[in-house]
Amino acid sequence: MKKLAGIIAVALAGAGIATVAGAVDLPSITIGMKNASSPEQVSTALQILLVLTIFSIAPAILLMTTSFVRVVVVLSFIRQAMGTQQMPPNQVIVGLALFLTFFIMSPVYSVVNQKALQPYLKGKISQQQAFDTAVQPVRDFMFRQTREKDLALLVEISGNPQPDDRQAVKTTTLIPAFMLSELNRAFQIGFMIYIPFLVIDMVVASVLMSMGMMMLPPPIISLPFKLLLFVLVDGWGLVVGSLVKSFS
């Protein structure tokens, strides 16, 4: 054991790590709090805390205030309508939905960056001013996509008086109303997607029944025809193009 310890000590010494009396000095990491000597140190600590908080709730923000809900639900409907089981896999659908969400929301977040984030980082506006300025473009986007019926429903459930204008609508009321509207539109699009695939299933089932092949599952025969139809009409391009245009 002593020989092994000596070999390790020599190797560590050769690597530039000091040893004392055969013991290895390893670096230690200490996390603590101390009094700030300047306001800049307090501001930096608050910025780090804010960034960590945003990272922790980013998935919820992405789901609640962007186009992600509509996109991922429609893409899931496509897979189910074609009957391809797990193709494309969930990772591909979620990844495509995320990148489409970034593409659709880029004009909104470009305004947020120019009017809120950059002025705040340069010290031209306060943290509260930056937050209020950043929320406004996101609220405008949600208002454009939210049905009045859903918004009125959430206002009634909340028990608050009817707002006189958009500024009087609370963000905590707008977000669930926006999500209800997104789910409603996603299911409408999903219904339209199901129709051509349902027709193919019905035709194949009728042909198999007329031929007396009742024991052969119709999805096995209809799946290639569904894939052929989807490829011939450039289905992915049509769906993605329609999804993006539906937010304009």
Side-chain angles (χ1 to χ4, degrees):
M1 292 297 296
K2 293 183 179 180
K3 183 180 294 186
L4 179 59
I7 294 175
I8 295 176
V10 172
L12 291 175
I17 301 177
T19 59
V20 178
V24 180
D25 291 337
L26 297 177
S28 62
I29 300 176
T30 303
I31 299 176
M33 298 179 63
K34 62 180 181 179
N35 295 330
S37 59
S38 63
E40 290 77 9
Q41 293 181 354
V42 178
S43 177
T44 302
L46 291 177
Q47 290 178 7
I48 295 174
L49 180 61
L50 177 62
V51 169
L52 293 177
T53 304
I54 292 176
F55 283 161
S56 63
I57 63 176
I61 296 176
L62 181 64
L63 290 176
M64 291 187 295
T65 62
T66 66
S67 59
F68 179 82
V69 174
R70 187 190 308 185
V71 174
V72 75
V73 171
V74 171
L75 294 179
S76 299
F77 271 130
I78 294 176
R79 184 176 65 181
Q80 293 182 6
M82 289 191 298
T84 55
Q85 302 299 325
Q86 295 298 322
M87 296 301 296
N90 292 330
Q91 293 86 344
V92 174
I93 289 181
V94 174
L96 179 58
L98 282 174
F99 280 104
L100 287 176
T101 300
F102 295 149
F103 178 78
I104 294 170
M105 299 299 297
S106 59
V108 177
Y109 289 126
S110 177
V111 175
V112 173
N113 180 60
Q114 294 176 2
K115 295 185 177 181
L117 180 60
Q118 294 302 324
Y120 171 70
L121 294 178
K122 294 178 182 178
K124 296 181 179 179
I125 58 177
S126 63
Q127 182 178 353
Q128 185 62 40
Q129 291 175 333
F131 178 78
D132 295 337
T133 306
V135 168
Q136 193 57 45
V138 180
R139 282 172 56 91
D140 293 339
F141 170 80
M142 289 191 290
F143 271 119
R144 290 196 302 268
Q145 306 301 326
T146 303
R147 302 186 306 170
E148 294 184 2
K149 180 179 179 181
D150 296 327
L151 186 59
L153 174 64
L154 267 298
V155 172
E156 180 182 357
I157 294 175
S158 65
N160 297 323
Q162 292 293 330
D164 298 330
D165 54 10
R166 289 185 173 182
Q167 296 298 328
V169 179
K170 296 182 178 179
T171 305
T172 54
T173 303
L174 176 60
I175 290 176
F178 167 74
M179 294 189 68
L180 286 178
S181 300
E182 289 295 282
L183 288 173
N184 184 275
R185 289 193 175 92
F187 274 71
Q188 291 177 358
I189 298 173
F191 172 76
M192 300 302 297
I193 290 173
Y194 258 94
I195 291 178
F197 297 113
L198 181 61
V199 171
I200 293 177
D201 285 334
M202 294 176 63
V203 171
V204 171
S206 299
V207 171
L208 292 177
M209 186 174 296
S210 64
M211 297 175 61
M213 305 174 65
M214 300 181 183
M215 300 301 295
L216 182 62
I220 296 179
I221 306 300
S222 62
L223 179 58
F225 293 100
K226 291 179 183 179
L227 295 177
L228 179 62
L229 174 66
F230 197 72
V231 172
L232 290 178
V233 301
D234 190 18
W236 289 112
L238 289 176
V239 172
V240 171
S242 301
L243 276 174
V244 175
K245 292 178 182 178
S246 66
F247 289 96
S248 59

